[in-house]
Amino acid sequence: MKLYYAPGACSLAPHIILEEGGFTYDSEAIDLRGSRMTISGKDFSEINPKGYVPVLVLDDGQVLTEGPAINQYLADRVAEKKLAPANGTLERYRLQEWLAFISTELHKSFSPLFNPAASEDWKKASLENIERRLEYVAKQLAGKQFLLGENFTIADAYLFTVLGWGQYVGLDIGKWPALKEYHGRIFMRPSVQAALMAEGLIPSA
Ligand SMILES: N[C@@H](CCC(=O)N[C@@H](CS)C(=O)NCC(=O)O)C(=O)O
């Protein structure tokens, strides 16, 4: 398998999951802000016509896109690691509830904050929206190690990734001690350290 990613983008979540699952995989960065080529010089639009990461190329050459689909695909390949509850259970729908929330209510609310063309009013409204949503997440995490309880799941890899964007847009997650502790706890996981190092976001050990 091969993951196409941009350092620190939402593709960090499948990168963490690949590490967490103990997969053997390749990865390659995309220059999303500049040439929109892969680091080895391929036109990224030929790999994913949608033009965004993450992209997972499977061993048979099929191309899988959309983070929540990629993340669940990976989790189901290593079911014994319990990165997602079993398909068909209510817990699985709880996981999907979180993935949809993180994707549509958090991840996409950050987009204007990274967009130089977005108006200041739009940015302000997006930031207020994110803060309201994070207030909710912080309450949900009270007394829990992870979003679904005691097991780290793919939803945690995704939420960790999105929470990390606060530092780039002037949003201090320290306002919510439960979120700050959660983020710090996940940051220390060996899989997270490995993915962050691979993306050049922390120095190599
Ligand atoms: N619906 C997609 C959205 C992915 C997405 O927003 N990717 C961003 C990085 S976090 C990206 O590659 N943006 C570059 C672009 O759209 O040109 C998913 O959930 O995977």
Side-chain angles (χ1 to χ4, degrees):
M1 279 187 294
K2 179 165 182 173
L3 176 73
Y4 288 96
Y5 71 94
C10 48
S11 44
L12 178 61
H15 214 161
I16 291 170
I17 296 160
L18 281 161
E19 289 292 332
E20 193 79 36
F23 289 94
T24 301
Y25 66 97
D26 289 330
S27 63
E28 187 170 355
I30 310 297
D31 176 11
L32 274 183
R33 301 232 164 132
S35 65
R36 302 191 72 83
M37 307 282 273
T38 70
I39 292 305
S40 66
K42 281 191 223 124
D43 179 355
F44 182 51
S45 67
E46 286 179 12
I47 297 164
N48 181 13
K50 293 173 176 171
Y52 50 69
V53 293
V55 176
L56 188 70
V57 180
L58 309 185
D59 289 340
D60 65 2
Q62 289 196 66
V63 173
L64 191 60
T65 63
E66 302 301 326
I70 292 173
N71 297 340
Q72 290 184 77
Y73 171 82
L74 291 173
D76 288 340
R77 299 280 75 72
V78 287
E80 71 284 2
K81 305 263 180 187
K82 296 190 179 350
L83 296 172
N87 271 298
T89 60
L90 181 60
E91 276 297 287
R92 182 59 172 248
Y93 298 111
R94 291 285 176 217
L95 173 83
Q96 291 173 344
E97 189 177 17
W98 274 116
L99 294 177
F101 177 87
I102 298 165
S103 178
T104 61
E105 304 297 336
L106 288 174
H107 174 173
K108 284 297 156 183
S109 294
F110 272 93
S111 302
L113 303 175
F114 290 115
N115 182 349
S119 70
E120 286 310 309
D121 282 353
W122 187 15
K123 288 185 183 173
K124 184 168 172 287
S126 296
L127 198 51
E128 286 169 2
N129 199 31
I130 292 169
E131 290 186 329
R132 270 198 306 278
R133 304 294 188 240
L134 291 182
E135 186 75 36
Y136 168 79
V137 177
K139 284 191 184 134
Q140 292 296 310
L141 279 171
K144 279 195 223 158
Q145 288 284 306
F146 302 110
L147 285 172
L148 262 68
E150 292 312 304
N151 282 333
F152 174 89
T153 68
I154 59 175
D156 299 299
Y158 194 10
L159 180 60
F160 170 83
T161 298
V162 172
L163 289 177
W165 298 340
Q167 63 184 308
Y168 305 119
V169 299
L171 173 70
D172 178 12
I173 63 164
K175 276 199 260 182
W176 300 276
L179 289 185
K180 179 98 179 151
E181 280 167 32
Y182 169 84
H183 188 263
R185 199 159 56 241
I186 292 179
F187 176 78
M188 295 313 296
R189 293 179 78 81
S191 62
V192 174
Q193 294 284 305
L196 291 171
M197 271 180 220
E199 297 200 2
L201 297 170
I202 59 171
S204 296

